[in-house]
Coordinates of all heavy atoms in Angstrom, one line a residue:
M255 N 0.9 -1.2 0.1 CA 0.1 0.1 0.0 C 0.9 1.3 0.0 O 1.8 1.3 0.8 CB -1.0 -0.1 1.2 CG -1.9 1.2 1.4 SD -2.8 1.0 2.8 CE -4.3 1.3 1.9
A256 N 0.7 2.2 -0.9 CA 1.4 3.4 -1.0 C 1.2 4.3 0.2 O 0.0 4.4 0.7 CB 1.1 4.1 -2.3
G257 N 2.1 5.1 0.5 CA 2.1 6.0 1.8 C 1.3 7.2 1.2 O 1.1 7.6 0.0
V258 N 0.7 8.0 2.2 CA -0.2 9.0 1.9 C 0.7 10.2 1.7 O 1.4 10.5 2.8 CB -1.2 9.2 3.0 CG1 -2.1 10.4 2.7 CG2 -2.2 8.0 3.1
P259 N 0.7 11.0 0.6 CA 1.6 12.1 0.6 C 1.0 13.4 1.4 O -0.2 13.4 1.5 CB 1.5 12.5 -0.9 CG 0.3 12.0 -1.4 CD 0.0 10.7 -0.5
Y260 N 1.8 14.1 1.9 CA 1.4 15.2 2.6 C 2.5 16.3 2.6 O 3.6 16.2 2.3 CB 1.1 15.0 4.1 CG 2.3 14.2 5.0 CD1 3.2 15.0 5.5 CD2 2.3 12.9 5.0 CE1 4.3 14.4 6.2 CE2 3.2 12.3 5.7 CZ 4.3 13.1 6.3 OH 5.3 12.4 6.9
M261 N 2.2 17.6 2.8 CA 3.0 18.7 2.6 C 3.9 18.9 3.8 O 5.1 19.2 3.7 CB 2.2 20.1 2.5 CG 1.4 20.1 1.2 SD 2.3 20.0 -0.3 CE 3.2 21.5 -0.4
R262 N 3.5 18.5 5.0 CA 4.3 18.6 6.3 C 3.7 17.5 7.1 O 2.6 17.2 7.0 CB 4.2 20.0 6.9 CG 2.8 20.4 7.3 CD 2.7 21.8 7.7 NE 1.3 22.2 7.8 CZ 0.7 23.0 8.5 NH1 1.4 23.6 9.5 NH2 -0.5 23.2 8.4
P263 N 4.6 17.1 8.1 CA 4.1 16.1 8.9 C 3.1 16.5 9.9 O 3.0 17.8 10.3 CB 5.3 15.7 9.8 CG 6.4 16.8 9.6 CD 6.0 17.5 8.3
P264 N 2.1 15.7 10.2 CA 1.0 16.1 11.0 C 1.5 16.4 12.3 O 2.5 15.9 12.9 CB 0.1 14.8 11.1 CG 0.9 13.7 10.5 CD 2.1 14.3 9.8
E265 N 0.9 17.3 13.2 CA 1.2 17.8 14.4 C 0.8 16.8 15.4 O -0.2 16.1 15.3 CB 0.4 19.1 14.7 CG 1.0 20.4 14.0 CD 0.3 21.6 14.5 OE1 -0.2 21.7 15.7 OE2 0.3 22.5 13.7
P266 N 1.6 16.6 16.4 CA 1.2 15.6 17.5 C -0.2 16.0 18.0 O -0.4 17.2 18.2 CB 2.3 15.6 18.5 CG 3.2 16.7 18.1 CD 2.8 17.2 16.8
E267 N -1.0 15.2 18.3 CA -2.4 15.5 18.8 C -2.4 16.1 20.1 O -1.7 15.7 21.0 CB -3.2 14.2 18.9 CG -4.7 14.6 19.2 CD -5.5 13.3 19.0 OE1 -5.2 12.4 18.2 OE2 -6.4 12.9 20.0
K268 N -3.0 17.4 20.2 CA -3.1 18.1 21.5 C -3.9 17.3 22.3 O -5.2 17.1 21.9 CB -3.4 19.6 21.3 CG -2.6 20.2 20.4 CD -3.1 21.7 20.2 CE -2.3 22.4 19.1 NZ -2.9 23.7 18.8
G269 N -3.5 16.9 23.5 CA -4.6 16.3 24.4 C -4.9 17.2 25.6 O -4.0 17.8 26.2
F270 N -6.0 17.2 25.9 CA -6.5 18.0 27.1 C -7.3 17.0 27.9 O -8.1 16.2 27.4 CB -7.5 19.1 26.8 CG -6.9 20.3 25.9 CD1 -6.9 20.4 24.6 CD2 -6.0 21.1 26.7 CE1 -6.4 21.4 23.8 CE2 -5.3 22.1 25.8 CZ -5.5 22.3 24.4
D271 N -7.2 17.1 29.2 CA -7.9 16.4 30.1 C -8.7 17.1 31.0 O -8.4 18.3 31.3 CB -7.0 15.4 31.0 CG -6.2 14.3 30.1 OD1 -6.9 13.8 29.3 OD2 -5.1 14.1 30.3
V272 N -9.7 16.6 31.6 CA -10.6 17.4 32.6 C -9.8 17.8 33.8 O -8.9 16.9 34.2 CB -11.8 16.5 33.1 CG1 -12.6 17.2 34.1 CG2 -12.7 16.4 31.9
G273 N -9.7 19.0 34.2 CA -9.0 19.4 35.2 C -7.7 20.1 35.0 O -7.0 20.9 35.7
D274 N -7.2 20.0 33.6 CA -6.1 20.8 33.1 C -6.4 22.3 33.2 O -7.4 22.8 32.9 CB -5.8 20.6 31.6 CG -5.3 19.2 31.3 OD1 -4.8 18.4 32.6 OD2 -5.2 18.7 30.4
V275 N -5.4 23.1 33.5 CA -5.5 24.5 33.4 C -4.9 25.0 32.1 O -3.8 24.4 31.7 CB -4.6 25.2 34.6 CG1 -4.4 26.8 34.5 CG2 -5.1 24.8 35.9
V276 N -5.8 25.8 31.4 CA -5.3 26.2 30.0 C -5.5 27.8 30.0 O -6.1 28.4 30.9 CB -6.2 25.6 29.0 CG1 -6.0 24.1 28.9 CG2 -7.7 25.9 29.3
E277 N -5.1 28.5 28.9 CA -5.2 29.8 28.6 C -6.1 29.8 27.4 O -5.8 29.0 26.3 CB -4.0 30.5 28.4 CG -3.2 30.7 29.7 CD -2.0 31.6 29.6 OE1 -1.4 31.6 28.4 OE2 -1.6 32.2 30.4
V278 N -7.0 30.6 27.2 CA -7.8 30.8 26.2 C -7.8 32.4 25.8 O -7.9 33.2 26.5 CB -9.4 30.4 26.5 CG1 -10.4 30.9 25.4 CG2 -9.3 29.0 26.8
Y279 N -7.9 32.6 24.4 CA -8.0 33.9 23.9 C -9.3 34.2 23.7 O -10.0 33.7 22.8 CB -7.1 34.0 22.6 CG -6.9 35.3 22.1 CD1 -6.0 36.2 22.7 CD2 -7.7 35.9 21.1 CE1 -5.8 37.5 22.3 CE2 -7.5 37.2 20.7 CZ -6.6 38.0 21.2 OH -6.3 39.3 20.8
C280 N -9.9 35.2 24.5 CA -11.4 35.5 24.4 C -11.7 36.8 24.9 O -10.8 37.5 25.6 CB -12.3 34.4 25.1 SG -12.1 34.3 26.8
D281 N -12.9 37.3 24.8 CA -13.4 38.5 25.4 C -13.7 38.0 27.0 O -14.4 37.1 27.1 CB -14.6 39.1 24.9 CG -14.3 39.6 23.4 OD1 -13.2 39.9 23.1 OD2 -15.3 40.2 22.7
H282 N -13.2 38.8 27.8 CA -13.4 38.6 29.2 C -13.2 39.9 30.1 O -13.0 41.0 29.6 CB -12.4 37.7 29.7 CG -11.1 38.0 29.8 ND1 -10.3 37.8 28.6 CD2 -10.2 38.4 30.8 CE1 -9.0 38.3 28.9 NE2 -8.9 38.8 30.1
E283 N -13.6 39.9 31.3 CA -13.5 41.0 32.2 C -12.2 41.0 33.0 O -11.7 39.9 33.5 CB -14.7 41.1 33.2 CG -15.9 41.5 32.6 CD -17.1 41.7 33.7 OE1 -16.8 41.6 34.8 OE2 -18.2 41.9 33.2
K284 N -11.6 42.2 33.0 CA -10.4 42.4 33.8 C -10.4 43.6 34.4 O -10.5 44.7 33.7 CB -9.1 42.2 32.9 CG -7.8 42.3 33.6 CD -6.6 42.0 32.7 CE -5.3 42.0 33.4 NZ -4.3 41.7 32.4
N285 N -10.2 43.8 35.7 CA -10.4 45.0 36.5 C -11.5 45.8 36.1 O -11.6 47.0 35.9 CB -9.2 45.9 36.2 CG -7.8 45.1 36.7 OD1 -7.8 44.4 37.6 ND2 -6.7 45.5 35.9
G286 N -12.8 45.1 36.0 CA -14.0 45.7 35.7 C -14.2 46.2 34.3 O -15.3 46.8 34.0
Q287 N -13.3 46.1 33.5 CA -13.3 46.4 31.9 C -13.4 45.2 31.1 O -12.8 44.1 31.4 CB -12.1 47.2 31.5 CG -11.9 48.5 32.3 CD -13.1 49.5 31.9 OE1 -13.4 49.5 30.8 NE2 -13.5 50.2 32.8
R288 N -14.1 45.1 30.1 CA -14.2 44.2 29.0 C -12.9 44.3 28.1 O -12.6 45.3 27.6 CB -15.5 44.2 28.3 CG -15.5 43.1 27.2 CD -16.8 43.1 26.6 NE -16.8 42.1 25.3 CZ -17.8 41.9 24.7 NH1 -19.1 42.4 25.0 NH2 -17.7 41.0 23.7
V289 N -12.1 43.1 28.0 CA -10.9 43.1 27.2 C -10.9 41.9 26.4 O -11.6 41.0 26.6 CB -9.7 43.3 28.2 CG1 -9.5 44.6 28.8 CG2 -9.5 42.1 29.0
R290 N -10.1 41.9 25.4 CA -9.9 40.7 24.6 C -8.4 40.3 24.8 O -7.5 41.0 24.7 CB -10.1 41.0 23.1 CG -10.0 39.7 22.3 CD -10.8 40.0 21.0 NE -10.8 38.8 20.1 CZ -11.4 37.7 20.2 NH1 -12.5 37.7 21.1 NH2 -11.5 36.8 19.4
G291 N -8.1 39.1 25.3 CA -6.8 38.6 25.5 C -6.9 37.2 26.1 O -7.9 36.5 26.1
W292 N -5.7 36.7 26.6 CA -5.6 35.4 27.2 C -6.1 35.4 28.7 O -5.6 36.3 29.3 CB -4.1 35.0 27.1 CG -3.7 34.8 25.7 CD1 -2.9 35.6 24.8 CD2 -3.9 33.6 24.8 NE1 -2.7 35.1 23.6 CE2 -3.4 33.8 23.6 CE3 -4.6 32.3 25.1 CZ2 -3.4 32.8 22.6 CZ3 -4.7 31.4 24.0 CH2 -4.0 31.7 22.8
V293 N -6.7 34.4 29.0 CA -7.3 34.4 30.3 C -7.2 32.9 30.7 O -7.5 31.9 29.9 CB -8.8 34.9 30.5 CG1 -9.7 34.2 29.6 CG2 -9.1 34.9 32.0
K294 N -6.8 32.6 31.9 CA -6.8 31.1 32.5 C -8.2 30.6 32.8 O -9.1 31.2 33.3 CB -6.0 31.1 33.7 CG -4.4 31.1 33.4 CD -3.6 30.8 34.6 CE -2.1 31.0 34.3 NZ -1.3 30.8 35.4
G295 N -8.2 29.3 32.5 CA -9.6 28.6 32.8 C -9.2 27.1 33.1 O -8.1 26.7 33.0
I296 N -10.2 26.3 33.4 CA -10.0 24.9 33.7 C -10.9 24.1 32.7 O -12.0 24.4 32.6 CB -10.4 24.7 35.2 CG1 -9.5 25.4 36.1 CG2 -10.3 23.1 35.6 CD1 -9.9 25.3 37.5
V297 N -10.2 23.1 32.1 CA -11.1 22.3 31.3 C -12.0 21.4 32.1 O -11.7 20.7 33.1 CB -10.1 21.2 30.6 CG1 -10.8 20.1 29.7 CG2 -9.1 22.0 29.8
V298 N -13.3 21.4 31.6 CA -14.3 20.7 32.4 C -15.0 19.7 31.7 O -15.6 18.7 32.1 CB -15.5 21.8 33.0 CG1 -14.9 22.7 34.1 CG2 -16.0 22.5 31.7
Q299 N -14.8 19.5 30.3 CA -15.3 18.5 29.6 C -14.5 18.4 28.3 O -14.1 19.5 27.7 CB -16.8 18.7 29.2 CG -17.4 17.5 28.6 CD -19.0 17.6 28.5 OE1 -19.5 18.4 29.2 NE2 -19.6 16.8 27.6
V300 N -14.2 17.2 27.7 CA -13.5 16.9 26.7 C -14.3 15.8 25.9 O -14.7 14.8 26.5 CB -12.1 16.5 26.9 CG1 -11.3 16.2 25.5 CG2 -11.4 17.5 27.7
D301 N -14.4 16.1 24.5 CA -14.9 14.9 23.7 C -14.1 14.8 22.5 O -12.9 15.3 22.4 CB -16.4 15.1 23.3 CG -16.8 16.3 22.4 OD1 -15.7 16.7 21.7 OD2 -17.9 16.8 22.4
S302 N -14.5 14.0 21.5 CA -13.7 13.8 20.4 C -13.2 14.9 19.5 O -12.3 14.8 18.7 CB -14.2 12.7 19.5 OG -15.5 13.2 18.9
K303 N -14.0 16.0 19.5 CA -13.9 17.2 18.8 C -13.7 18.4 19.5 O -13.1 19.4 19.0 CB -14.9 17.3 17.7 CG -15.0 16.2 16.6 CD -16.1 16.5 15.7 CE -16.1 15.3 14.8 NZ -17.2 15.4 13.7
M304 N -14.2 18.6 20.7 CA -14.4 19.8 21.4 C -13.9 19.8 22.8 O -13.7 18.6 23.4 CB -15.9 20.2 21.4 CG -16.5 20.3 20.1 SD -16.0 21.8 19.2 CE -16.8 23.1 20.0
V305 N -13.5 21.0 23.3 CA -13.0 21.1 24.7 C -13.8 22.2 25.4 O -14.0 23.2 24.8 CB -11.6 21.2 24.9 CG1 -11.0 22.4 24.1 CG2 -11.2 21.1 26.4
A306 N -14.4 22.0 26.6 CA -15.1 22.9 27.3 C -14.3 23.5 28.5 O -13.6 22.8 29.2 CB -16.4 22.5 27.9
V307 N -14.2 24.8 28.5 CA -13.3 25.5 29.5 C -14.1 26.4 30.3 O -15.0 27.2 29.8 CB -12.1 26.4 28.9 CG1 -11.3 26.9 29.8 CG2 -11.3 25.4 27.9
Q308 N -14.0 26.3 31.7 CA -14.8 27.2 32.5 C -13.8 28.2 33.2 O -12.7 27.9 33.5 CB -15.5 26.4 33.7 CG -16.3 27.2 34.6 CD -17.2 26.3 35.6 OE1 -16.8 25.2 35.9 NE2 -18.4 26.8 35.9
F309 N -14.4 29.4 33.5 CA -13.5 30.7 34.0 C -14.1 31.1 35.2 O -15.3 30.9 35.5 CB -13.5 31.7 32.9 CG -13.1 31.1 31.5 CD1 -14.0 30.8 30.5 CD2 -11.9 31.2 31.2 CE1 -13.6 30.3 29.3 CE2 -11.4 30.7 30.0 CZ -12.3 30.3 29.0
R310 N -13.4 31.7 36.1 CA -13.7 32.4 37.2 C -14.2 33.8 36.9 O -14.9 34.4 37.8 CB -12.7 32.4 38.2 CG -12.2 31.1 38.7 CD -11.1 31.2 39.7 NE -10.8 29.9 40.0 CZ -10.5 29.4 41.3 NH1 -10.5 30.3 42.3 NH2 -10.1 28.2 41.6
T311 N -13.9 34.4 35.7 CA -14.4 35.7 35.5 C -15.5 35.6 34.4 O -15.7 34.6 33.8 CB -13.2 36.5 35.0 OG1 -13.6 37.8 34.8 CG2 -12.6 35.9 33.7
N312 N -16.2 36.8 34.2 CA -17.1 36.7 33.1 C -16.5 36.8 31.8 O -15.5 37.3 31.5 CB -18.0 38.1 33.1 CG -18.8 38.2 34.3 OD1 -19.4 37.1 34.8 ND2 -19.2 39.3 34.8
V313 N -17.0 35.9 30.8 CA -16.5 35.7 29.5 C -17.7 36.1 28.5 O -18.8 36.0 28.9 CB -15.9 34.3 29.2 CG1 -14.7 34.1 30.0 CG2 -16.9 33.2 29.5
Y314 N -17.3 36.5 27.3 CA -18.2 36.9 26.3 C -18.2 36.2 24.9 O -17.1 35.8 24.6 CB -18.1 38.4 26.1 CG -18.4 39.2 27.3 CD1 -17.3 39.5 28.3 CD2 -19.7 39.7 27.7 CE1 -17.6 40.2 29.5 CE2 -19.8 40.5 28.8 CZ -18.8 40.7 29.6 OH -19.0 41.4 30.7
L315 N -19.3 36.0 24.4 CA -19.2 35.6 23.0 C -18.9 36.5 22.1 O -18.8 37.8 22.5 CB -20.7 35.0 22.6 CG -21.3 33.8 23.4 CD1 -22.7 33.5 23.0 CD2 -20.4 32.6 23.3
T316 N -18.4 36.2 20.8 CA -17.9 37.3 19.9 C -19.1 38.3 19.6 O -18.8 39.4 19.1 CB -17.3 36.7 18.6 OG1 -18.4 35.7 18.0 CG2 -16.1 35.8 18.9
D317 N -20.3 37.9 19.6 CA -21.4 38.9 19.3 C -21.8 39.8 20.6 O -22.8 40.4 20.4 CB -22.6 38.1 18.7 CG -23.2 37.1 19.6 OD1 -22.7 37.1 20.8 OD2 -24.3 36.4 19.3
G318 N -21.1 39.6 21.6 CA -21.3 40.6 22.6 C -21.9 40.0 23.9 O -22.0 40.7 25.0
W319 N -22.6 38.9 23.8 CA -23.4 38.3 24.9 C -22.5 37.7 26.0 O -21.6 37.0 25.7 CB -24.4 37.1 24.5 CG -25.5 37.7 23.6 CD1 -25.5 37.9 22.3 CD2 -26.7 38.3 24.1 NE1 -26.7 38.4 21.8 CE2 -27.4 38.7 22.9 CE3 -27.3 38.4 25.3 CZ2 -28.6 39.3 23.1 CZ3 -28.5 39.0 25.5 CH2 -29.1 39.4 24.2
M320 N -22.8 38.0 27.3 CA -22.0 37.5 28.3 C -22.5 35.9 28.5 O -23.7 35.6 28.4 CB -22.3 38.1 29.6 CG -21.5 37.6 30.8 SD -21.7 38.4 32.4 CE -23.3 37.8 32.8
V321 N -21.6 35.1 28.7 CA -21.9 33.6 29.0 C -22.3 33.3 30.5 O -21.4 33.5 31.3 CB -20.8 32.6 28.5 CG1 -21.0 31.3 28.7 CG2 -20.4 33.1 27.1
P322 N -23.5 33.0 30.8 CA -24.0 33.0 32.2 C -23.2 31.9 32.9 O -23.0 32.0 34.2 CB -25.6 32.7 32.1 CG -25.7 32.3 30.7 CD -24.6 32.8 29.9
D323 N -22.9 30.7 32.4 CA -22.3 29.7 33.2 C -20.8 29.8 33.0 O -20.0 28.8 33.7 CB -22.8 28.3 32.8 CG -22.4 28.0 31.2 OD1 -21.8 28.9 30.5 OD2 -22.9 27.0 30.8
H324 N -20.1 30.8 32.5 CA -18.8 30.9 32.4 C -18.0 29.8 31.7 O -16.8 29.6 31.9 CB -18.0 31.1 33.7 CG -18.5 32.4 34.5 ND1 -17.9 33.0 35.5 CD2 -19.6 33.1 34.4 CE1 -18.5 34.0 36.0 NE2 -19.6 34.1 35.3
I325 N -18.6 29.1 30.8 CA -18.1 28.0 30.1 C -18.1 28.2 28.5 O -19.1 28.6 28.0 CB -18.8 26.7 30.3 CG1 -18.8 26.3 31.7 CG2 -18.2 25.5 29.4 CD1 -19.5 25.1 32.2
L326 N -17.0 28.2 27.9 CA -16.8 28.3 26.5 C -16.3 27.0 25.8 O -15.5 26.3 26.6 CB -15.8 29.3 26.0 CG -16.2 30.8 26.4 CD1 -15.2 31.7 26.1 CD2 -17.5 31.3 25.7
W327 N -16.9 26.7 24.7 CA -16.4 25.4 24.0 C -15.5 25.8 22.9 O -15.7 26.8 22.2 CB -17.6 24.7 23.4 CG -18.4 24.0 24.4 CD1 -19.5 24.5 25.2 CD2 -18.2 22.7 24.7 NE1 -20.0 23.5 26.0 CE2 -19.3 22.3 25.8 CE3 -17.5 21.7 24.3 CZ2 -19.5 21.1 26.3 CZ3 -17.7 20.4 24.8 CH2 -18.6 20.0 25.8
F328 N -14.4 25.0 22.6 CA -13.5 25.2 21.5 C -13.2 23.9 20.8 O -13.1 22.8 21.5 CB -12.2 25.8 22.1 CG -12.2 27.1 22.7 CD1 -12.6 27.3 24.0 CD2 -12.1 28.4 21.9 CE1 -12.7 28.5 24.6 CE2 -12.2 29.6 22.5 CZ -12.6 29.7 23.8
P329 N -12.9 24.1 19.4 CA -12.4 22.8 18.8 C -11.0 22.4 19.3 O -10.3 23.3 19.7 CB -12.1 23.3 17.4 CG -13.2 24.6 17.2 CD -13.1 25.1 18.6
L330 N -10.7 21.1 19.4 CA -9.5 20.7 19.9 C -8.4 21.3 19.3 O -7.2 21.5 19.8 CB -9.4 19.2 19.7 CG -10.2 18.3 20.8 CD1 -10.1 16.8 20.4 CD2 -9.8 18.5 22.1
N331 N -8.4 21.7 17.9 CA -7.3 22.3 17.2 C -7.4 23.7 17.0 O -6.8 24.4 16.2 CB -7.3 21.6 15.9 CG -8.5 21.8 15.0 OD1 -9.5 22.4 15.4 ND2 -8.5 21.5 13.7
S332 N -8.1 24.4 17.9 CA -8.2 25.7 17.9 C -7.0 26.5 18.3 O -6.3 26.1 19.2 CB -9.3 26.3 18.8 OG -9.4 27.7 18.9
P333 N -6.6 27.7 17.6 CA -5.5 28.4 17.9 C -5.7 29.3 19.2 O -4.8 29.9 19.7 CB -5.1 29.3 16.7 CG -6.5 29.4 16.1 CD -7.2 28.2 16.4
H334 N -6.9 29.3 19.6 CA -7.4 30.2 20.7 C -7.2 29.4 22.0 O -7.8 30.0 23.1 CB -8.7 30.8 20.5 CG -8.8 31.5 19.3 ND1 -8.2 32.8 19.1 CD2 -9.4 31.3 18.1 CE1 -8.4 33.2 18.0 NE2 -9.1 32.4 17.3
I335 N -6.7 28.3 22.2 CA -6.6 27.6 23.4 C -5.1 27.1 23.5 O -4.6 26.5 22.5 CB -7.6 26.4 23.5 CG1 -7.5 25.8 25.0 CG2 -7.5 25.5 22.6 CD1 -8.6 24.9 25.3
R336 N -4.5 27.0 24.7 CA -3.1 26.7 24.7 C -2.8 26.4 26.3 O -3.5 26.7 27.2 CB -2.1 27.7 24.3 CG -2.1 29.0 25.2 CD -1.3 30.1 24.7 NE -1.2 31.2 25.6 CZ -0.8 32.4 25.4 NH1 -0.1 32.7 24.2 NH2 -0.6 33.4 26.3
V337 N -1.7 25.7 26.4 CA -1.3 25.5 27.8 C -0.7 26.8 28.4 O -0.3 27.6 27.6 CB -0.1 24.4 27.8 CG1 -0.6 23.0 27.4 CG2 1.1 24.7 27.0
P338 N -0.8 27.0 29.7 CA -0.4 28.3 30.2 C 1.0 28.6 29.9 O 1.8 27.8 30.0 CB -0.7 28.2 31.7 CG -1.7 27.1 31.7 CD -1.3 26.2 30.8
Q339 N 1.3 29.9 29.4 CA 2.6 30.3 29.3 C 3.2 30.9 30.5 O 2.6 31.5 31.3 CB 2.6 31.6 28.2 CG 1.9 31.2 27.0 CD 2.7 30.1 26.1 OE1 3.8 30.3 25.8 NE2 2.1 29.1 25.7
K340 N 4.6 30.5 30.8 CA 5.1 31.0 31.9 C 5.4 32.6 31.8 O 6.0 33.0 30.7 CB 6.5 30.3 32.1 CG 6.4 28.7 32.3 CD 7.6 28.2 32.8 CE 7.4 26.7 32.9 NZ 6.9 26.3 34.2
R341 N 5.1 33.2 32.7 CA 5.4 34.7 32.9 C 6.6 35.1 33.5 O 7.0 34.4 34.5 CB 4.2 35.4 33.5 CG 2.9 35.0 32.9 CD 2.2 36.2 32.3 NE 0.8 36.0 32.0 CZ 0.3 35.4 31.0 NH1 1.1 34.8 30.0 NH2 -1.0 35.3 30.8
S342 N 7.4 36.0 33.0 CA 8.6 36.4 33.7 C 8.1 37.3 34.9 O 7.1 38.0 34.8 CB 9.6 37.3 32.9 OG 8.8 38.3 32.4
S343 N 8.9 37.2 36.0 CA 8.5 37.9 37.3 C 8.7 39.4 37.0 O 9.8 39.8 36.6 CB 9.3 37.3 38.4 OG 9.0 38.2 39.6
S344 N 7.7 40.2 37.4 CA 7.8 41.6 37.1 C 8.5 42.2 38.3 O 8.9 43.4 38.4 CB 6.4 42.2 36.9 OG 5.7 42.0 38.1
R345 N 8.7 41.4 39.4 CA 9.3 42.0 40.7 C 10.7 41.7 40.5 O 11.1 40.5 40.7 CB 8.7 41.5 41.9 CG 7.3 41.8 42.1 CD 6.7 41.5 43.5 NE 6.8 40.1 43.6 CZ 6.8 39.6 44.9 NH1 6.5 40.4 45.9 NH2 6.8 38.2 45.2
A346 N 11.5 42.7 40.3 CA 13.0 42.4 40.3 C 13.5 42.6 41.8 O 13.1 43.5 42.6 CB 13.8 43.4 39.5
E347 N 14.6 41.7 42.1 CA 15.1 41.9 43.4 C 15.9 43.2 43.5 O 16.6 43.6 42.5 CB 16.1 40.7 43.6 CG 15.3 39.3 43.8 CD 16.0 38.4 44.6 OE1 17.0 38.8 45.3 OE2 15.5 37.3 44.7
P348 N 15.9 43.9 44.6 CA 16.6 45.1 44.8 C 18.2 44.8 44.7 O 18.7 43.8 45.0 CB 16.3 45.6 46.1 CG 15.2 44.8 46.6 CD 15.2 43.6 45.8
V349 N 19.0 45.8 44.0 CA 20.2 45.7 43.9 C 21.0 45.8 45.3 O 20.7 46.5 46.1 CB 20.8 46.7 42.9 CG1 22.4 46.7 42.8 CG2 20.2 46.6 41.6
G350 N 22.0 44.9 45.5 CA 22.7 44.9 46.7 C 22.0 44.5 47.9 O 22.4 44.9 49.0
S351 N 21.0 43.7 47.9 CA 20.3 43.2 49.0 C 20.8 41.8 49.3 O 20.4 40.8 48.8 CB 18.7 43.1 48.7 OG 18.5 42.2 47.7
N352 N 21.7 41.7 50.3 CA 22.2 40.4 50.9 C 22.2 40.4 52.3 O 22.3 41.2 53.0 CB 23.6 40.2 50.3 CG 23.6 39.7 48.9 OD1 22.6 39.4 48.3 ND2 24.8 39.7 48.2

């Protein structure tokens, strides 16, 4: 049987499990203001095609409606869901403190 041609090798399957902490790019509230950006959430359900993420803050659909249960669904291959990125510490140690 001949191999299947492809332009680039397939990406390893991204796996999410219930309880995983993820970051999602969506509209949400930050400091009382509605912003669009990355916010942390927890995976609450996974099926063969979709992943559900629940948030502690208000999140919004793209058409402006607030999601009352704070849960958004994303396709498994969505570019808007990722593992949390490590942030560099904004607090620098004082110079000469020993």
